[in-house]
Amino acid sequence: MLILELYIFVLAGFVGFMVITRVPPLLHTPLMSATNAISGISLVGSLVAAGSHRSSVATILGFIAVVCATTNIVGGFLITDRMLKMFRRDDPKAKLPAEPK
Amino acid sequence: MRDNLTQLSYVVAAVLFILGLRSLTRPDKARQGMQLAAVGMLFAICGTLINHEIVDYRWIAGGLVLGAIIGYPLGMWVPTTALPQRIAMSLSFGALASVLVGVSEYYNALHGVGEAIGTARMAALGFEVLLGSLTVTGALIAFGKLQEILPGRPLTFPGQNLANGLLFLIAFVLLVLVILDPTRTTAFYSMVGLAAVLGVLMVIPIGGADMPVVVALLNSYCGLAAAATGFALGNSILIISGSLDGASGFLLSILMSKAMNRSFSNVLFGAFGGGAPAAAVGAGGALPVRAISAEDAAIQLAYASRVIIVPGYGMAVAQAQHQVRELAELIEKRGGEVKYAIHPVAGRMPGHMNVLLAEANVPYDRLYDMDEINGEFPQTDVALVIGANDVVNPAAREDKSSPIYGMPILDVDRAKTVIVLKRGMAAGFAGIENMLFHAPATSMLFGDAKASLSKLVSEVKAA
């Protein structure tokens, strides 16, 4: 089982490296917030800790972990989307109605 | 059956995550791709909620709602200028989740209500809480520095590296002790505490300009902690996402270090600007500086046919990105061509300047990386430097004794004329004299970047 997990870890790392090397510096900040949102996946561990009712300590720690992870998922995906929405090409048709100040 | 559904949801999530990250290679496809990744997250969460181990949904529901309530403003209301500290804070949250899951697993196992701990599982748990705990406090300190609650200068004390090394060694020994015998609870909890102290000590000596490397590195740790959680729980989606996250953070920190021509260890242990370059500053006082009025600078800009704008941290501090865009549009209207030169470590996190300018509605095809644009400076009429210093310091190219020698820079000094917007003549973050400011082709426009740019805009309009 451990060996299988190591395979998964190493292969995912390779995929990550190959994909992320091609991300242009232009999008490095969205990349960071995106990986941040994705790392909120630790929620799946927190959910089990908070809901499996094994000990009250685990439940409470799990609850806090659920809050933290959910915060990252919700906030992370929203802010990434907000940033990516701002990146636009130069489009002569949409030549900026200068925004109100 | 249920377990298979859970696993299936994880496979879907993993595929969508990777597709989402891949979409970030194309700015026009990125938004769609990340929305897919969010759908993948939803799959993973729903797949977990049907897990038969979960018997009580009250705490879960409360946590999800509370997290969403805190997360929404952090996603929608935080201004782009506060992004670096926002990201540092979420790294801390993410790592905290990993630590808490690790501690609760450990607690359950010791009290006979969880899975028993084998050596491999204990090792995974140990790494998880060690890395996680270090990241929680490290990211908090980074947050404090970026938010300017803590001083941005490097805080050092004699024997710091030795002390850190020793602490790290002790933490590592405790880790080994716990792995050998998981019932050593004191060792386990001391290790968590020690790692937290270590996180503080590691980030405290790192100065503001090195923050991009540190934030990226903490990102990597946070991912590795999540992957270790996956090993401890035997959960493949955690391993995959953690590994992706770790790879991304690691890669970014390498890119950032390269852009500063410094090794990891130098960033982490070097405490840049810790007084050593003071001698180089002393000579600066007598050098000539040519100040320029906004009117004269505006004339130069108004009649220039090629302008390159070089933004730096100063633009972010003054929140002057909208004025920059306004000025660029005016120049373009008069027939000039405006490009933006972005140094990889300008600002406080990877890609900081790009996001700020995108927010100000600057089209991203006007933003050029260092390598793309460096050849164009000699044909440039005016290079407008806004609050950037070390990344345009020619000493990095010429002066072998300079602490930043060898760092790739933007060749602003090769432009026909240079206008530098700066608050005053204070040396940059690294405390290194910048000869660019004394060059014959350079004029300095002193003052707050936003105010100076507003003046330039109205003067160019009148010209």
Side-chain angles (χ1 to χ4, degrees):
Chain A
M1 190 60 189
L2 181 71
I3 288 299
L4 194 67
E5 285 170 353
L6 268 178
Y7 265 117
I8 296 176
F9 177 73
V10 173
L11 291 181
F14 265 117
V15 172
F17 244 90
M18 280 154 80
V19 169
I20 289 155
T21 331
R22 290 173 41 216
V23 174
L26 176 74
L27 293 183
H28 275 170
T29 299
L31 171 67
M32 290 194 80
S33 68
T35 53
N36 231 297
I38 289 175
S39 80
I41 190 73
S42 54
L43 178 62
V44 303
S46 323
L47 288 175
V48 176
S52 55
H53 228 330
R54 284 185 178 137
S55 63
S56 39
V57 171
T59 306
I60 289 168
L61 293 185
F63 168 74
I64 303 173
V66 170
V67 175
C68 288
T70 312
T71 303
N72 267 1
I73 293 175
V74 174
F77 277 115
L78 284 177
I79 207 166
T80 310
D81 189 61
R82 218 178 95 201
M83 268 191 262
L84 291 174
K85 201 164 57 183
M86 299 186 309
F87 284 93
R88 57 169 198 96
R89 263 182 174 284
D90 196 9
D91 183 359
K93 270 177 283 171
K95 201 74 179 175
L96 297 171
E99 93 256 18
K101 273 184 240 58
Chain B
M1 177 59 196
R2 267 194 193 180
D3 279 352
N4 284 340
L5 269 182
T6 305
Q7 292 304 328
L8 203 65
S9 76
Y10 288 172
V11 173
V12 173
V15 171
L16 291 180
F17 286 171
I18 292 171
L19 285 179
L21 287 179
R22 203 178 75 116
S23 74
L24 287 176
T25 53
R26 299 262 319 263
D28 50 334
K29 294 272 190 283
R31 199 174 167 209
Q32 215 180 353
M34 282 315 298
Q35 284 164 353
L36 271 181
V39 173
M41 184 64 79
L42 207 61
F43 265 97
I45 296 170
C46 294
T48 310
L49 286 175
I50 58 169
N51 187 323
H52 59 82
E53 278 180 66
I54 299 180
V55 291
D56 184 348
Y57 285 91
R58 283 171 301 171
W59 287 99
I60 291 179
L64 287 175
V65 170
L66 191 56
I69 291 173
I70 303 172
Y72 186 83
L74 281 176
M76 298 308 286
W77 300 346
V78 170
T80 46
T81 39
L83 272 173
Q85 47 269 49
R86 154 75 179 71
I87 283 184
M89 187 162 68
S90 60
L91 287 174
S92 186
F93 280 168
L96 184 62
S98 292
V99 175
L100 293 176
V101 171
V103 171
S104 73
E105 279 290 307
Y106 179 75
Y107 181 90
N108 279 347
L110 278 195
H111 290 75
V113 284
E115 281 174 68
I117 306 188
T119 313
R121 205 162 105 85
M122 190 60 233
L125 274 179
F127 272 114
E128 174 190 342
V129 294
L130 187 75
L131 269 178
S133 177
L134 191 144
T135 309
V136 171
T137 53
L140 271 184
I141 297 292
F143 168 78
K145 286 192 169 221
L146 291 164
Q147 184 72 35
E148 288 174 1
I149 301 168
L150 297 169
R153 300 218 135 260
L155 297 178
T156 53
F157 56 86
Q160 194 162 29
N161 288 338
L162 190 73
N164 287 359
L166 213 64
L167 277 180
F168 185 78
L169 203 69
I170 299 173
F172 193 75
V173 169
L174 287 174
L175 176 66
V176 173
L177 284 177
V178 177
I179 292 173
L180 291 178
D181 179 3
T183 59
R184 290 180 172 130
T185 46
T186 324
F188 182 82
Y189 293 113
S190 324
M191 180 181 75
V192 178
L194 210 58
V197 175
L198 206 56
V200 174
L201 289 178
M202 268 177 69
V203 181
I204 273 279
I206 293 168
D210 286 344
M211 275 302 159
V213 187
V214 176
V215 172
L217 199 64
L218 288 171
N219 189 343
S220 171
Y221 287 170
C222 186
L224 290 179
T229 315
F231 277 101
L233 302 179
N235 184 321
S236 46
I237 188 70
L238 269 176
I239 300 180
I240 294 173
S241 320
S243 183
L244 288 173
D245 201 7
S248 151
F250 189 61
L251 205 74
L252 282 179
S253 43
I254 291 179
L255 286 177
M256 295 300 114
S257 312
K258 260 199 198 142
M260 297 197 289
N261 189 40
R262 298 172 60 199
S263 65
F264 261 170
S265 56
N266 187 281
V267 172
L268 291 178
F269 307 117
F272 212 34
V281 182
L287 290 166
V289 172
R290 197 152 60 96
I292 191 173
S293 66
E295 294 81 38
D296 294 341
I299 302 267
Q300 280 190 36
L301 286 169
Y303 293 100
S305 53
R306 280 159 192 263
V307 177
I308 295 182
I309 295 178
V310 182
Y313 185 53
M315 182 187 82
V317 173
Q319 310 204 2
Q321 62 271 28
H322 293 281
Q323 283 72 20
V324 171
R325 195 254 306 148
E326 224 178 310
L327 179 66
E329 273 174 11
L330 278 176
I331 298 171
E332 278 170 353
K333 238 181 240 163
R334 302 181 58 102
E337 177 200 60
V338 181
K339 291 178 176 177
Y340 296 81
I342 314 288
H343 192 279
V345 292
R348 288 293 183 264
M349 69 180 162
H352 194 175
M353 294 298 128
N354 299 302
V355 174
L356 288 178
L357 290 170
E359 188 208 11
N361 245 325
V362 174
Y364 63 76
D365 39 6
R366 300 286 170 78
L367 310 178
Y368 292 85
D369 297 339
M370 180 167 59
D371 300 331
E372 290 174 327
I373 203 158
N374 251 350
E376 296 188 27
F377 279 106
Q379 294 94 47
T380 301
D381 299 314
V382 182
L384 184 64
V385 179
I386 304 167
N389 189 346
D390 293 333
V391 297
V392 296
N393 190 342
R397 229 177 30 225
E398 291 148 8
D399 179 6
K400 282 199 174 140
S401 67
S402 170
I404 57 167
Y405 179 73
M407 169 173 146
I409 56 156
L410 290 163
D411 294 331
V412 172
D413 55 321
R414 293 186 176 154
K416 289 174 194 159
T417 53
V418 181
I419 300 174
V420 178
L421 266 58
K422 206 171 175 314
R423 271 168 197 277
M425 268 319 284
F429 166 75
I432 303 158
E433 184 59 46
N434 193 337
M435 289 310 289
L436 176 70
F437 302 156
H438 307 293
T442 304
S443 3
M444 309 289 293
L445 178 54
F446 290 114
D448 171 70
K450 196 173 191 167
S452 298
L453 282 163
S454 302
K455 257 187 255 163
L456 283 177
V457 167
S458 50
E459 291 294 334
V460 171
K461 263 188 201 152

